């Protein structure tokens, strides 16, 4: 059985706008990936634990509430504590360009802004995790 | 009309047309609905002016809810605003009022929307970020400092904790000496669309509807100028629905509230006049105008025929409009000014009662002062420069508009039928009907954009390479969270905590029983119970709603 | 990207109780092949202690919510829980949407609850091909109770009976589930039947219908009589009764000495399945078989020899002692 790419899609924080998260989840599924969807209102602890238990390759976080500078670093810290720093993290949402830069500096693999083509996200993941 | 001449010319026209070239463009609305190249008298055969349009201010109100429309007064230019601490937002309100805005609209932060105090663990990183943080009556007092609640109307975009924010507002006004019955405004208070689309819920549906009927009953008696529910399609559309889905699901929610009110023993003519609506103004100019016109017609018919409303005020579908946030692009954001202008104009041609025009930078962050000013000026341009307000419902009688209006009405009726078959709105939510329909539309649209069948200027066509965003963005200081945490803790220290415990205990008892919750929540507000304390007390009795998954 | 530890190191970390290592080993099991066998060889001696409960029933019956509630009760009794939730792989794209965790949020910060979502992948439906292996791993990791939630459609649902000590069939009053259950053979495999959404007006009559059907089965005295329980995962009612029914079934198995028998049955079926898989794979890979096939198929096409003749020739070629 060939290796499958496993992706966790989650919405940290309190905002409920899940259109983007679900569109991306659908597109990745249609691209043949296995999507673990944990849904709305997730705490960093929930996300990190789910990512570890599910042994995903990559975690996608969608935030539109402006809490990104709190959420991303906290989740990365927790993953490290759990011995899962190898899991990549990407994100999307309403995130100003300078914050995108800061997040990429601390190790977030990529932030996709509004208007992103889902094909770009598929390519981004495939490049890092080719199916064998 | 000379019928023969008409038929001859029509035949000649279509013969010629079939010989003409046609660009390879998908001629559909933004919702994917087919549009023909030409509409003719054939498309509105049997059209009955009296039945389908009537005069403005007359049943079925297709042409508008008032006889004089904008000649009487313009729509209310109401820009939605809120960020940071109450003091920060208060400054923005004064700025907007000084620049000619006519009413206020409060945008709350996520912790407030979800019922958490600013010092709750789940509020971390979110305080004051995408709206203003309100934890207690104290914050509401600061928010409206120097503003007379008897002289303006205020709209509050709040749903699950609407009863609490309304209580804070009323008490803040009361402290300034304004009686409840003198205060006017709107709470969104539309929980059904939260389960359907926006997903900011706290309690399960049944309990939420009980709170809503309590608000309806209380306001009818004590706050008669208050719009108790703003039944919202805006968020349904933002979540990715089509125009027809927005229309049908929103009206279905409206019917559900009316039915809940009647079931609670209220007289429909007592509460229905205070129901209002809130629609999205998306990009497809004519489709949107059609949507507003047909909404008025369906509502009036249903209210009269099905719910037995007799007061003409119960039949009026009055609505607020906001331009479509989801249509804005992060690429070349200045283009958003133009998009918003077209959308705002469709709302005005559709007969809106109030309007929020988005700022060009809302897809990037909370709007800056300059962006907000341009957005407000856009409305002033429509009102004073374009001349579209000179006559009422100028598009009436257009073959295209009237044919589409009838078509959309039929499509909406089909949805109502489906929802009935599923056992009503709450049952349909339970089964994920709305959620699935919306998700499907959202994904279809995304695929159409990615395949280039739908063009978005600056995104999938006419792009700028290496674009630098050149507009100033509003930043929320980290200090806001610390300040607001301290403020709520100070409130808890300064108040009479014995009284707080007693009032919260009273609230618990009321929630367990059937007594109207509003007076009790108001008493809680008066002694500075925080929002989180009130919500937690209610959660203890009502439980919490858990996200269903439909994909 | 940090370097990932090799299998030996993972097994050490696994023995130390590291969740990340256990999770990684599950992935290796899922991907199959030699590595998977190596992992299984190493942990198998630690298995055999976990009590396995299978949950099957149509999609939308509320299996995940029920598992969430049950997990709460089992945690009160200090059980260490492993949960395997299977969702279908799309036959068209190979992708899968695994959303069962949403319903299990209440335990997402409890280190003694390990939830793993599996896509059904190559399996025809119901459960993933590697379900047995994943159960073993959770068992070896110290979970004394493993709950398995199936997809809920298709004949292969019935496979759960070969993997679990107790099979719980979850139904809802709506949409004639009872009749569907009878058609699908679920009536034969259920040890406990749950009529979920007990607040529904038809719940009681639907439960009675199940009860009546079970009565017709003519169960010999002393054998297990399936229980029918009304629950509402949403309202949290009937869960205590369900726990009681599951425990009662467990006591019945233990008292009657059935326990060891079930383990033997499970293992026999696994060895058989693994052997069949292995044989099939070897046949497919064998150059001799392929050559002979290619050579003789022409004659079959022409009607000179029957398909069975070819098979007999192949049998001679691969002859198994």
């Amino acid at each position: 059985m060939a290796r499958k790419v496993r992706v966790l899609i989650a919405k940290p924080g309190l905002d409920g706008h899940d259109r983007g998260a679900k569109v991306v989840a659908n597109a990745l599924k249609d691209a043949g990936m296995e999507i673990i969807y944990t849904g709305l209102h997730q705490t960093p602890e929930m996300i990190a634990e789910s990512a570890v238990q599910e042994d995903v390759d990559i975690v996608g976080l969608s935030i539109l509430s402006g809490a990104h500078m709190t959420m991303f670093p906290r989740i990365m810290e927790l993953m490290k504590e759990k011995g899962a720093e190898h899991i990549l993290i990407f994100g999307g949402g309403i995130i100003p360009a300078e914050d995108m830069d800061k997040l990429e500096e601390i190790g977030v693999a990529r932030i996709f802004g509004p208007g992103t083509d889902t094909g770009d996200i598929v390519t981004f993941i495939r490049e890092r995790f080719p199916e064998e | 009309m000379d019928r023969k001449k008409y038929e001859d010319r029509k035949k000649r026209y279509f013969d010629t047309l079939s010989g003409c070239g046609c660009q390879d463009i998908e001629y559909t609305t933004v919702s994917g609905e087919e549009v023909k190249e030409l509409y003719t008298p054939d498309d509105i055969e049997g059209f009955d002016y009296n039945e389908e349009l009537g005069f403005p201010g007359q049943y079925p109100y297709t042409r508008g809810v008032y006889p004089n429309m904008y000649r009487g007064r313009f729509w209310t230019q109401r820009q939605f605003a809120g960020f940071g601490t109450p003091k920060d937002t208060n400054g923005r309100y004064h700025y907007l009022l000084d620049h000619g805005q006519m009413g206020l609209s409060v945008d709350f932060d996520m912790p407030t929307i979800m019922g958490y105090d600013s010092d709750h663990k789940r509020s971390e990183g979110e305080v004051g970020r995408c709206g203003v943080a309100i934890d207690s009556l104290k914050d509401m007092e600061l928010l409206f400092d120097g503003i007379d609640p008897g002289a303006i109307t205020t709209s509050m975009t709040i749903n699950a904790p609407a009863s609490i924010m309304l209580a804070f507002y009323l008490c803040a006004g009361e402290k300034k000496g304004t009686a409840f019955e003198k205060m006017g405004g709107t709470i969104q208070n539309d929980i059904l669309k939260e389960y359907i689309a926006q997903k900011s819920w706290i309690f399960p549906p049944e309990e939420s509807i009980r709170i809503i009927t309590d608000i309806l009953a209380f306001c009818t008696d004590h706050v008669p100028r208050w719009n108790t529910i703003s039944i919202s399609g805006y968020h349904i559309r933002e979540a990715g629905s089509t125009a027809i889905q927005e229309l049908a699901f929103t009206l279905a929610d409206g019917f559900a509230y009316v039915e809940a009110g009647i079931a609670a023993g209220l007289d429909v003519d007592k509460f229905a006049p205070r129901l209002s609506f809130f629609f999205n103004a998306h990009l497809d100019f004519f489709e949107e105008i059609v949507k507003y016109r047909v909404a008025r017609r369906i509502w009036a018919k249903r209210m009269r025929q099905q719910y037995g409303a007799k007061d003409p005020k119960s039949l009026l579908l009055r609505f607020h409009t906001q331009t479509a946030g989801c249509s804005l692009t992060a690429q070349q954001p200045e283009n958003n000014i133009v998009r918003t202008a077209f959308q705002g104009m469709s709302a005005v041609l559709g007969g809106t009662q109030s309007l929020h025009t988005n700022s060009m930078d809302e897809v990037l962050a909370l709007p800056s002062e300059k962006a907000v000013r341009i957005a407000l000026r856009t409305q002033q341009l429509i009102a004073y420069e374009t001349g579209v307000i000179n006559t009422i419902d100028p598009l009436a009688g257009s073959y295209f508009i009237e044919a589409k209006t009838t078509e959309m009405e039929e499509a909406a009726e089909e949805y109502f039928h489906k929802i009935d078959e599923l056992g009503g709105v709450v049952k349909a939510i339970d089964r994920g009907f709305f959620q699935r329909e919306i998700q499907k539309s959202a994904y279809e649209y995304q695929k159409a954009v990615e395949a280039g069948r739908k063009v978005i200027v600056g995104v999938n066509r006419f792009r700028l390479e290496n674009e630098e965003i050149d507009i100033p963005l509003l930043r929320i200081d980290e200090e806001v969270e610390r300040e607001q945490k301290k403020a709520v803790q100070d409130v808890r220290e300064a108040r009479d905590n014995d009284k707080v415990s007693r009032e919260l205990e009273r609230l618990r008892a009321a929630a367990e029983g059937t007594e109207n919750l509003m007076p009790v929540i108001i008493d809680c507000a008066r002694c500075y119970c925080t929002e989180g304390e009130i919500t937690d007390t209610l959660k203890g009795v009502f439980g919490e709603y858990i996200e269903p998954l439909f994909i | 990207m940090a370097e990932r530890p090799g299998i030996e190191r993972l097994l050490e970390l696994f023995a130390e109780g590291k969740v990340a290592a256990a999770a990684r080993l599950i992935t290796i099991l899922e991907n199959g092949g030699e590595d998977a066998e190596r992992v299984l060889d190493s942990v198998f001696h630690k298995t055999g202690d976990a009590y396995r409960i299978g949950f099957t029933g149509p999609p939308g019956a509320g299996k995940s919510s029920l598992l969430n509630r049950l997990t709460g009760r089992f945690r009160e009794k200090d059980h260490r829980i492993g949960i395997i939730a299977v969702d279908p792989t799309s036959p068209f794209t190979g992708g899968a949407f695994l959303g069962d965790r949403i319903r299990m949020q209440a335990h997402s910060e409890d280190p003694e609850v390990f939830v793993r979502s599996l896509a059904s992948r190559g399996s025809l439906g119901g459960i993933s091909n590697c379900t047995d292996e994943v159960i073993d791993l959770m068992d070896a990791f110290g979970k004394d109770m493993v709950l398995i939630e199936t997809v809920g459609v298709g004949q292969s649902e019935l496979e759960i009976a070969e993997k679990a000590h107790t099979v719980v069939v979850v139904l809802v009053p709506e949409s004639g589930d009872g009749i569907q259950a009878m058609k699908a053979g679920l009536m034969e495999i259920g040890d406990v039947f749950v009529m979920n959404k007990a607040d529904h007006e038809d719940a009681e009559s639907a439960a009675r219908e199940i009860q009546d059907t079970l009565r017709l089965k003519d169960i010999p005295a002393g054998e297990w009589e399936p229980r029918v329980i009304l629950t509402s995962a949403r309202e949290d009612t009937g869960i205590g009764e369900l726990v009681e029914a599951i425990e009662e079934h467990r006591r019945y198995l233990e008292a009657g000495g059935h326990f060891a028998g079930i383990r033997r049955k499970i293992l026999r079926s696994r060895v058989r399945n693994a052997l069949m898989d292995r044989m099939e794979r070897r046949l497919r890979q064998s150059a001799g078989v392929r050559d002979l096939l290619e050579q003789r198929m022409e004659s079959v096409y022409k009607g000179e020899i029957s398909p069975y003749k070819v098979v007999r020739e192949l049998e001679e070629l691969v002859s198994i002692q």
Side-chain angles (χ1 to χ4, degrees):
Chain A
M1 172 61 58
R3 181 179 181 288
K4 275 272 170 201
V5 182
R6 286 169 66 88
V7 188
L8 180 91
I9 299 284
K11 272 198 64 67
L14 298 175
D15 90 84
H17 300 100
D18 58 359
R19 175 178 180 172
K22 284 193 169 156
V23 164
V24 169
N26 266 313
L28 297 182
K29 180 195 165 205
D30 284 352
M33 300 178 196
E34 291 182 356
I35 311 304
I36 290 99
Y37 188 78
T38 59
L40 296 171
H41 310 145
Q42 299 280 294
T43 64
E45 286 76 11
M46 288 172 169
I47 293 169
E49 188 60 31
S50 299
V52 168
Q53 290 188 358
E54 298 289 353
D55 188 43
V56 293
D57 300 294
I58 185 163
V59 175
L61 304 172
S62 161
I63 310 186
L64 290 89
S65 70
H68 46 273
M69 294 311 283
T70 308
M71 294 296 175
F72 280 96
R74 179 87 189 111
I75 291 165
M76 300 191 66
E77 188 184 304
L78 286 165
M79 301 264 246
K80 197 165 179 189
E81 271 171 33
K82 292 172 191 286
E85 62 268 38
H86 58 271
I87 297 177
L88 281 190
I89 295 189
F90 74 101
I94 299 193
I95 298 177
E98 61 177 282
D99 289 354
M100 285 189 188
D101 295 343
K102 277 187 210 153
L103 289 170
E104 288 179 11
E105 262 166 46
I106 62 163
V108 173
R110 179 78 68 81
I111 299 287
F112 293 96
T116 298
D117 190 305
T118 55
D120 292 346
I121 304 178
V122 171
T123 310
F124 161 81
I125 297 177
R126 281 262 178 273
E127 276 168 11
R128 282 152 189 83
F129 305 100
E131 291 208 353
E132 285 155 20
Chain B
M1 185 173 74
D2 181 338
R3 195 75 212 176
K4 173 153 190 326
K5 201 171 190 179
Y6 171 79
E7 292 298 337
D8 285 350
R9 290 189 172 186
K10 190 171 81 184
K11 185 171 180 308
R12 192 151 38 117
Y13 168 76
F14 282 105
D15 288 348
T16 328
L17 182 72
S18 60
C20 300
C22 184
Q23 294 188 73
D24 186 21
I25 292 177
E26 202 175 277
Y27 293 95
T28 57
T29 69
V30 74
S31 305
E33 291 293 314
E34 293 285 336
V35 180
K36 296 194 290 187
E37 66 281 296
L38 188 79
Y39 287 77
T40 67
D42 294 3
D43 294 294
I44 55 164
E45 229 186 295
F47 178 77
D48 183 333
Y49 182 87
N50 294 325
E51 286 294 310
E52 289 169 65
L53 298 188
F55 284 87
Q58 285 179 15
Y59 188 82
Y61 305 98
T62 313
R63 304 201 63 182
V65 288
Y66 302 123
N68 53 355
M69 287 305 288
Y70 304 134
R71 291 212 168 195
R73 56 187 288 273
F74 286 127
W75 62 94
T76 307
Q77 293 159 18
R78 194 191 294 279
Q79 297 296 91
F80 185 46
F83 59 90
T85 64
K87 204 163 154 276
D88 297 334
T89 300
N90 177 265
R92 176 65 66 88
Y93 288 170
H94 282 286
Y95 176 88
L96 285 166
L97 292 170
D98 291 347
H99 280 81
Q101 171 159 299
M102 297 143 83
L104 293 174
S105 175
V106 188
D107 180 6
F108 297 96
D109 70 356
M110 282 316 303
T112 307
I113 287 171
M114 295 301 290
Y116 295 109
D117 286 341
S118 295
D119 58 348
H120 191 280
K121 188 173 177 299
R122 301 222 48 168
S123 303
E124 232 171 274
E126 313 228 27
V127 177
R129 288 274 167 195
C130 65
V132 61
I134 301 290
D135 292 314
S136 72
L137 169 57
K138 180 84 196 158
D139 291 332
M140 201 62 98
E141 291 167 16
L142 292 168
L143 186 66
F144 288 93
D145 190 34
I147 295 166
D148 178 4
I152 53 135
T153 59
T154 301
S155 168
M156 293 191 275
T157 301
I158 194 79
N159 294 282
S163 56
I164 305 171
M165 290 303 129
L166 175 60
F168 289 171
Y169 186 83
L170 294 175
C171 292
E174 181 182 60
K175 290 191 80 172
K176 291 185 175 184
T178 312
F180 285 5
E181 53 270 20
K182 292 270 180 326
M183 284 185 259
T186 305
I187 39 175
Q188 195 163 79
N189 197 26
D190 172 10
I191 199 70
L192 292 173
K193 67 93 176 48
E194 294 297 335
Y195 303 118
I196 291 174
Q198 186 167 244
K199 310 188 180 168
S200 296
W201 49 61
I202 299 177
F203 314 111
E206 238 168 82
E207 287 75 9
S208 296
I209 287 181
R210 181 235 168 135
I211 300 175
I212 289 171
T213 51
D214 283 357
I215 296 172
L216 289 180
F218 179 81
C219 289
T220 303
D221 294 340
H222 305 284
V223 204
R225 292 183 56 211
W226 205 271
N227 293 315
T228 46
I229 315 177
S230 168
I231 306 153
S232 306
Y234 184 79
H235 319 82
I236 293 174
R237 194 68 182 278
E238 289 289 302
S241 83
T242 63
I244 290 169
Q245 288 167 342
E246 178 195 353
L247 172 81
F249 298 173
T250 309
L251 290 175
D253 287 348
F255 304 149
Y257 292 123
V258 170
E259 286 164 19
I262 293 172
L266 305 176
D267 174 356
V268 67
D269 282 324
K270 282 268 164 55
F271 71 85
R274 300 316 302 179
L275 301 178
S276 63
F277 284 80
F278 172 20
F279 288 112
N280 197 302
H282 212 290
L283 282 166
D284 202 291
F285 194 71
F286 294 114
E287 185 171 53
E288 295 303 279
I289 297 168
V290 163
K291 181 182 76 188
Y292 309 124
R293 298 176 86 243
V294 80
R296 279 192 292 269
R297 182 151 93 198
I298 295 175
W299 185 251
K301 283 187 190 169
R302 269 271 177 141
M303 289 305 287
R304 181 190 267 182
Q305 292 165 7
Q306 191 143 340
Y307 302 121
K310 296 195 178 60
D311 184 344
K313 288 201 188 85
S314 302
L315 312 180
L316 304 185
L317 182 140
R318 297 167 302 131
F319 69 102
H320 171 70
T321 310
Q322 180 172 342
T323 56
C326 62
S327 73
L328 304 184
T329 64
Q331 296 76 7
Q332 305 173 42
E334 296 87 345
N335 296 346
N336 295 330
I337 299 175
V338 185
R339 290 190 177 93
T340 299
F342 294 142
Q343 295 167 350
M345 191 180 275
S346 77
V348 169
L349 290 173
T352 194
Q353 274 59 61
S354 69
L355 179 60
H356 166 106
T357 31
N358 285 327
S359 302
M360 61 173 148
D361 52 358
E362 278 180 67
V363 69
L364 302 165
L366 282 180
S368 69
E369 227 163 60
K370 181 173 180 185
V372 169
R373 194 178 61 234
I374 295 173
L376 180 60
R377 293 286 179 257
T378 305
Q379 295 200 35
Q380 292 158 344
L381 280 161
I382 296 172
Y384 294 98
E385 294 189 8
T386 64
V388 297
I389 50 100
N390 289 340
T391 188
I392 299 166
D393 190 27
L395 292 169
S398 144
Y399 305 124
F400 171 48
I401 291 285
E402 299 303 353
K404 282 289 176 188
T405 302
T406 304
E407 198 181 299
M408 202 184 277
E409 182 174 13
E410 284 162 4
E413 290 291 345
E414 247 172 69
Y415 265 125
F416 300 148
H417 184 68
K418 265 187 218 159
I419 296 164
D420 282 345
E421 276 184 346
L422 290 169
V425 171
V426 172
K427 287 254 168 68
I429 288 172
D430 230 28
R431 294 186 172 194
F433 172 70
F434 303 108
Q435 299 93 315
R436 268 195 213 99
E437 287 281 308
I438 295 169
Q439 254 163 255
K440 210 165 68 192
S441 303
Y443 194 40
E444 287 306 316
Y445 179 72
Q446 180 73 21
K447 286 199 279 194
V449 169
E450 292 182 3
R453 284 181 281 119
K454 284 276 169 227
V455 173
I456 302 178
V457 173
V459 176
N460 62 358
R461 289 279 291 276
F462 316 110
R463 296 160 64 120
L464 280 181
E465 294 310 322
N466 305 318
E467 181 187 355
E468 287 284 328
I469 302 294
D470 183 27
I471 53 177
L473 294 182
L474 178 79
R475 307 285 313 187
I476 304 295
D477 196 334
E478 306 272 326
E479 198 47 44
V480 164
E481 189 156 325
R482 274 190 290 274
E483 222 176 279
Q484 193 60 24
K485 267 184 174 170
K486 183 165 179 311
V488 64
Q489 283 156 359
D490 287 349
V491 165
R492 285 201 207 97
E493 267 176 37
R495 66 193 183 180
D496 177 349
N497 276 304
D498 288 337
K499 189 157 189 343
V500 165
S501 313
R502 279 198 307 278
E503 291 300 342
L504 289 175
E505 191 39 51
R506 239 186 90 208
L507 178 63
R508 181 188 322 280
E512 276 165 0
T514 56
E515 172 187 353
N516 191 315
L517 294 174
M518 267 319 285
V520 195
I521 294 173
I522 288 171
D523 285 340
C524 289
R526 280 189 182 121
C527 66
Y528 293 91
C529 291
T530 65
E531 186 202 11
E533 291 162 346
I534 297 172
T535 310
D536 283 347
T537 304
L538 293 175
K539 275 183 192 170
V541 180
F542 294 156
E544 287 180 70
Y545 185 68
I546 305 168
E547 179 186 7
L549 176 68
F550 304 106
I551 197 110
Chain C
M1 210 186 318
E3 194 56 39
R4 290 192 171 196
I7 289 183
E8 291 312 320
R9 179 68 191 136
L10 281 172
L11 286 166
E12 281 167 33
L13 292 167
F14 174 79
E16 289 167 21
K18 293 280 187 291
V19 174
R24 183 82 204 131
L25 291 175
I26 292 179
T27 305
I28 293 172
L29 293 176
E30 269 198 284
N31 292 335
E34 278 171 32
D35 285 348
E37 289 183 16
R38 233 172 98 202
V39 171
L40 211 60
D41 291 348
S42 313
V43 303
F44 189 73
H45 67 281
K46 291 191 214 160
T47 66
D49 299 328
Y51 195 76
R52 302 151 179 228
I53 311 172
F55 294 82
T56 183
K63 296 191 287 292
S64 301
S65 311
L66 203 63
L67 251 72
N68 187 43
R69 294 288 189 192
L70 273 177
T71 301
R73 299 302 168 97
F74 287 137
R75 287 294 296 134
E76 281 167 19
K77 295 171 181 259
D78 276 334
H79 286 294
R80 298 174 304 278
I81 308 291
I83 298 177
I84 300 171
V86 188
D87 278 310
T89 292
S90 159
F92 305 106
T93 65
F97 194 92
L98 315 173
D100 293 313
R101 289 190 86 93
I102 286 193
R103 296 252 150 248
M104 298 174 192
Q105 298 292 337
H107 312 289
S108 59
E109 292 183 38
D110 179 350
E112 289 300 349
V113 179
F114 189 152
V115 182
R116 181 60 176 239
S117 315
L118 297 181
S120 59
R121 295 199 183 171
S123 143
L124 287 175
I127 35 187
S128 162
N129 285 332
C130 65
T131 306
D132 285 312
E133 287 71 25
V134 179
I135 297 173
D136 278 346
L137 199 100
M138 286 190 167
D139 186 348
F141 196 55
K143 301 299 174 201
D144 66 340
M145 198 167 256
V146 179
L147 316 179
I148 307 123
E149 182 192 336
T150 70
V151 172
V153 279
Q155 279 298 317
S156 53
E157 282 305 301
L158 306 182
E159 282 176 30
I160 191 66
E162 292 179 13
K163 306 192 189 300
H165 295 104
T166 302
V167 173
V168 180
V169 176
V170 185
L171 304 167
V172 276
E174 300 144 17
S175 64
D177 271 1
I179 298 163
Q180 287 302 324
M182 285 173 227
K183 276 193 201 155
L186 291 176
M187 297 306 289
E188 312 303 320
I189 63 164
D191 300 304
V192 179
F193 290 83
V194 169
M195 190 52 70
N196 197 17
K197 306 189 182 172
D199 44 342
H200 192 283
E201 49 194 16
D202 300 330
E204 287 196 20
S205 66
R208 251 195 324 275
E209 203 180 311
I210 298 287
Q211 194 82 63
D212 291 344
T213 317
L214 289 170
R215 248 181 233 123
L216 295 174
K217 274 175 64 176
D218 219 5
I219 295 158
E223 286 207 8
W224 175 254
E225 284 178 45
R227 302 286 187 271
V228 181
I229 315 277
L230 278 163
T231 63
S232 167
R234 181 188 294 181
E235 307 283 329
D236 200 10
T237 54
I239 311 298
E241 288 84 338
L242 176 56
V243 169
E244 180 48 41
I246 292 170
E247 286 177 344
E248 210 183 324
H249 185 240
R250 182 175 187 166
R251 283 194 297 273
Y252 158 81
L253 293 179
E254 283 166 345
H258 302 287
F259 213 79
I262 289 183
R263 181 165 159 74
R264 284 190 191 164
K265 193 177 91 184
I266 291 172
L267 290 175
R268 249 200 316 273
S269 102
R270 280 182 65 183
V271 170
R272 192 182 58 232
N273 291 342
L275 182 67
M276 292 307 168
D277 281 353
R278 179 66 56 89
M279 287 300 149
E280 189 183 329
R281 193 158 12 119
R282 285 185 58 185
L283 280 175
R284 284 177 193 283
Q285 285 166 354
S286 155
V289 170
R290 201 171 47 234
D291 291 347
L292 182 79
L293 259 181
E294 249 169 53
Q295 189 193 327
R296 303 294 281 151
M297 280 314 285
E298 260 328 294
S299 314
V300 180
Y301 298 149
K302 289 183 188 144
E304 293 163 6
I305 57 170
S306 85
Y308 299 99
K309 176 93 169 57
V310 183
V311 172
R312 280 198 300 280
E313 287 176 20
L314 283 168
E315 253 178 336
E316 273 166 40
L317 186 75
V318 297
S319 93
I320 296 168
Q321 294 304 314

